[in-house]
Amino acid sequence: MNGINISRRLSASFTLVLKTMLETNYTTPFCRLSLQKKQPPDSPHYTSSTFWRKFMSSDPIATWHRLVKERNTQGLDALLAEDAVFYSPVVNTPQVGKSITKQYLSAALHVFANESFHYVRELTGDRDAILEFKLELDGIAINGVDMIKWNEEGKITEFKVMLRPLKAVNLIHQKMAAMLQPGA
């Protein structure tokens, strides 16, 4: 078999796969949005593109990045699901509920709020992301990871923080405890 025949076979196979994808709901959001004709809202085909437009406009990670940059704790209300769970690097039990999750994330935004804080890597899935960050606090170089999950409405349902080194964990424990004290 020569290269031309292989190329034709691959081209025919690709065309068949693409045609099948377009006739079903197995397309990626980008292919679906760019290749699909505009549909009226009552069309059965409207649901898929509406979902992806809604998903793209309510990207929880983009919103989180904006809140961190602005140090905006008020925006957490719209970002967190009612059943959100926060996993702290220094508390043994999960903190369950929107209110307590907001308290922990608000405290973290204040504790970590300095010019050295920045995200260095981001891995994102359909409904979860891992964000690696670095900062320096009180002379200690801190490296950490935010592991975030969200629901289909784009609201965060789980936020887990991991930190290193041990000196950083101890320092964050002190500072977060001070922020979370009643009346702080």
Side-chain angles (χ1 to χ4, degrees):
M1 203 181 294
N2 65 28
I4 293 173
N5 287 336
I6 291 173
S7 178
R8 284 185 186 147
R9 280 186 147 174
L10 288 175
S11 179
S13 296
F14 178 74
T15 303
L16 179 62
V17 168
L18 184 59
K19 182 180 176 196
T20 303
M21 288 174 66
L22 288 172
E23 290 172 354
T24 65
N25 288 328
Y26 298 109
T27 57
T28 66
F30 303 106
C31 290
R32 187 102 177 144
L33 286 174
S34 63
L35 297 174
Q36 178 176 318
K37 294 178 185 174
K38 298 255 184 214
Q39 300 291 333
D42 56 344
S43 167
H45 301 290
Y46 186 75
T47 313
S48 176
S49 59
T50 302
F51 169 77
W52 289 111
R53 263 190 248 118
K54 178 181 176 191
F55 176 78
M56 297 304 285
S57 65
S58 65
D59 178 5
I61 299 305
T63 303
W64 173 250
H65 281 303
R66 184 177 45 78
L67 295 179
V68 169
K69 182 179 179 181
E70 297 169 359
R71 309 290 191 239
N72 177 359
T73 60
Q74 298 306 314
L76 291 171
D77 282 324
L79 185 58
L80 296 172
E82 290 298 324
D83 60 347
V85 179
F86 182 80
Y87 294 90
S88 167
V90 296
V91 177
N92 292 339
T93 58
Q95 305 302 300
V96 180
K98 181 178 186 172
S99 177
I100 191 74
T101 300
K102 181 182 176 186
Q103 287 176 10
Y104 272 85
L105 290 176
S106 295
L109 285 174
H110 285 84
V111 168
F112 288 48
N114 72 38
E115 295 304 314
S116 71
F117 180 90
H118 63 284
Y119 285 105
V120 295
R121 189 176 347 184
E122 183 173 308
L123 304 170
T124 306
D126 291 339
R127 291 206 189 141
D128 59 353
I130 299 173
L131 311 176
E132 181 184 0
F133 61 86
K134 289 185 178 183
L135 77 143
E136 186 174 318
L137 194 59
D138 293 353
I140 297 174
I142 300 172
N143 183 229
V145 174
D146 292 334
M147 300 171 72
I148 305 169
K149 291 183 181 181
W150 58 89
N151 61 22
E152 60 232 7
E153 288 86 36
K155 302 228 182 228
I156 292 177
T157 57
E158 185 177 298
F159 202 110
K160 185 183 297 182
V161 180
M162 297 183 172
L163 295 171
R164 63 163 302 280
L166 181 58
K167 281 184 179 181
V169 174
N170 293 333
L171 177 64
I172 295 301
H173 183 211
Q174 281 179 337
K175 291 189 174 284
M176 290 288 289
M179 286 295 300
L180 293 167
Q181 291 296 324

